[in-house]
């Protein structure tokens, strides 16, 4: 990958962050794209990146933003912490003087953040998933068995523990400390009871919601400007820690083949779901997941249905906005339920 392409990845991410209400994070992305040099380990690694740096590939800018936010939250460099939200940041020259310095001086802390993709667990996406489950509850009237791929700490695996306002309807757990009220366009989803009979998830690097290091890691990947998202994450972690969801460490395709039986399961609607995770699976893994779903779906019946609920960025939407797509067996038909803001803050309902 050329240095120019790497710099463009940071410029593009700056636009995305700023448009999403994270202007400070956008500034830092822009300044790195414009001013980063090959001085120090971090600069050399970033400018010499050999993969796909953009948010559509390796998400290199978000890896580095996570590291910088973690450093600021840690207090290891008090001068950097002092310019991070909720503080009011100084001008570009002062911000770059600080960021440029720590990229060199704190390379031992920051470099490991470049080694793997961002690991988020955005609770706001549960609003879209819940809307999808309401569609299924309306059709089948069955309890659900959830299989979440790329589940991270499992905060979306326990989506029934949150309270929702989706269009004109209320859903979820009344009085939950986590309440999701996305801006809604279109008709409301159907009313229904979402009963979870069982739940499970998988991740290559599952995070233990009871571990303080999990809180630190997940908070680092929330853009520093977005204090409401941070507060919501902390509340969701508290809920999950009281009764942690079962999240296995494995490859998603291996796990699905081992855990999703092709035999019909009467009286349960099985749902395979994921949010901004599918792009990180290998092409071979994606193909195996689709094949397992097709093989299982081929044997599904109205009293033993299967559903695939996908919240993923799509190339055919404006700014690659994520779509909420639902495939249901028997039949195997796919519906586009909604186009969403990446963190679930806005849902444009399409059915």
């Amino acid at each position: 990958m050329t240095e120019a392409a790497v710099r463009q990845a940071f410029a593009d991410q700056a636009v995305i962050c700023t448009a999403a209400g994270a202007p400070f994070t956008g500034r830092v992305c822009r300044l790195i794209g414009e001013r980063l040099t090959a001085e120090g380990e971090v600069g050399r690694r970033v400018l010499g990146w050999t993969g796909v740096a953009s948010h559509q590939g390796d998400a290199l800018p978000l890896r580095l933003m996570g590291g910088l936010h973690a450093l600021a939250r840690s207090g290891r460099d008090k001068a950097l912490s002092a310019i991070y939200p909720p503080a009011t940041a100084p001008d570009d020259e002062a911000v770059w003087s600080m960021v440029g310095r720590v990229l060199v001086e704190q390379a031992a802390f920051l470099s490991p953040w470049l080694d793997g993709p961002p690991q988020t667990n955005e609770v706001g996406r549960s609003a879209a998933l819940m809307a999808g489950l309401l569609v299924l509850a309306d059709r089948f009237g069955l309890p659900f068995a959830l299989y979440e791929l790329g589940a991270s700490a499992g905060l979306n695996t326990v989506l029934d523990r949150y309270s929702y306002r989706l269009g004109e309807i209320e859903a979820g757990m009344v009085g939950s400390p986590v309440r999701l009220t996305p801006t809604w366009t279109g008709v409301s989803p159907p009313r229904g009871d979402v009963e979870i009979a069982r739940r499970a998830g998988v991740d290559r690097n599952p995070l233990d919601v009871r571990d303080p290091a999990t809180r630190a890691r997940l908070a680092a990947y929330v853009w520093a400007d977005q204090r409401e998202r941070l507060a919501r994450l902390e509340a969701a972690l508290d809920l999950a820690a009281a009764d942690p969801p079962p999240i296995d460490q494995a490859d998603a395709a291996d796990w699905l083949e081992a855990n999703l039986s092709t035999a019909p399961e009467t009286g349960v609607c099985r749902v395979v779901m994921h949010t901004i995770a599918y792009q990180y699976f290998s092409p071979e893994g994606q193909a195996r997941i689709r094949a397992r779903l097709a093989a299982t779906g081929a044997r599904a019946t109205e009293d033993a249905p299967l559903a695939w609920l996908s919240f993923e960025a799509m190339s055919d939407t404006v700014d690659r906005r994520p779509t909420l797509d639902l495939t249901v067996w028997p039949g195997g038909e796919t519906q586009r339920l909604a186009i969403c803001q990446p963190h679930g803050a806005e849902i444009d309902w399409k059915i």
Side-chain angles (χ1 to χ4, degrees):
M1 192 163 198
T2 66
E3 179 179 318
V6 171
R7 293 187 186 278
Q8 187 62 49
F10 278 87
D12 292 343
Q13 188 63 57
V15 172
I16 293 170
C17 291
T18 302
F24 175 80
T25 305
R27 282 177 68 191
V28 175
C29 276
R30 174 176 57 80
L31 290 169
I32 290 174
E34 293 171 351
R35 306 189 187 191
L36 183 66
T37 71
E39 179 185 2
E41 178 186 356
V42 172
R44 288 192 297 273
R45 287 191 65 186
V46 168
L47 295 179
W49 197 256
T50 58
V52 179
S54 73
H55 63 283
Q56 300 165 345
D58 298 332
L60 176 61
L62 294 182
R63 297 184 189 204
L64 188 52
M65 290 305 101
L68 285 167
H69 191 195
L71 179 61
R73 287 174 60 86
S74 74
R76 291 167 59 102
D77 191 298
K78 296 189 183 303
L80 179 70
S81 301
I83 69 168
Y84 258 69
T88 300
D91 61 22
D92 280 2
E93 293 302 322
V95 170
W96 177 248
S97 175
M98 193 69 60
V99 171
R101 174 184 62 79
V102 300
L103 288 174
V104 175
E105 293 182 1
Q106 298 286 351
F109 182 96
L110 294 171
S111 188
W113 288 81
L114 303 178
D115 293 341
Q119 187 166 14
T120 60
N121 207 173
E122 178 47 60
V123 180
R125 295 169 186 156
S126 281
L129 295 178
M130 176 58 74
L133 293 184
L134 287 170
V135 172
L136 292 167
D138 181 63
R139 173 169 171 179
F140 296 112
L142 295 171
F144 295 101
L146 303 182
Y147 302 75
E148 187 179 9
L149 310 182
S152 192
L155 301 185
N156 291 320
T157 317
V158 296
L159 77 172
D160 54 318
R161 300 179 190 173
Y162 312 144
S163 168
Y164 303 87
R165 179 74 172 180
L166 305 173
E168 296 300 320
I169 74 161
E170 295 286 332
M173 182 179 291
V174 176
S176 172
V178 177
R179 180 160 172 81
L180 301 174
T181 59
T183 300
W184 192 275
T185 305
V187 301
S188 301
R191 299 180 186 274
D193 293 326
V194 173
E195 177 189 348
I196 310 301
R198 66 176 188 273
R199 71 190 87 223
V202 64
D203 200 279
R204 280 193 174 276
N205 181 31
L207 299 179
D208 183 350
V209 291
R210 297 162 297 189
D211 185 352
T214 290
R215 288 180 176 265
R217 182 171 179 80
L218 291 177
Y221 284 121
V222 174
W223 297 338
D225 321 55
Q226 298 181 324
R227 313 307 293 177
E228 183 179 342
R229 281 182 69 206
L230 280 167
R232 186 172 64 204
L233 171 66
E234 290 167 356
L237 284 165
D238 288 341
L239 271 179
D243 183 14
I247 309 298
D248 295 325
Q249 183 171 22
D251 171 80
D254 289 345
W255 181 86
L256 194 64
E257 290 169 348
N259 288 276
L260 181 67
S261 171
T262 58
E265 185 175 348
T266 303
V268 174
C269 179
R270 292 181 289 175
V271 181
V272 176
M273 64 186 197
H274 46 82
T275 63
I276 316 297
Y278 198 71
Q279 71 184 60
Y280 297 116
F281 304 152
S282 69
E284 183 264 344
Q286 292 178 3
R288 288 170 58 200
I289 289 167
R290 292 193 300 270
R292 189 64 173 190
L293 286 162
T296 306
R299 301 178 64 184
T301 63
E302 286 293 321
D303 60 355
L306 174 70
W308 181 12
L309 189 56
S310 167
F311 181 106
E312 297 290 340
M314 301 297 288
S315 60
D316 61 346
T317 60
V318 176
D319 299 329
R320 285 181 55 87
R321 283 209 154 199
T323 63
L324 181 68
D325 293 334
L326 176 64
T327 305
V328 180
W329 292 269
E333 295 181 359
T334 299
Q335 261 186 310
R336 177 149 296 173
L337 301 183
I339 298 176
C340 309
Q341 188 268 352
H343 302 138
E346 301 168 7
I347 296 178
D348 182 8
W349 195 247
K350 296 298 185 182
I351 64 170

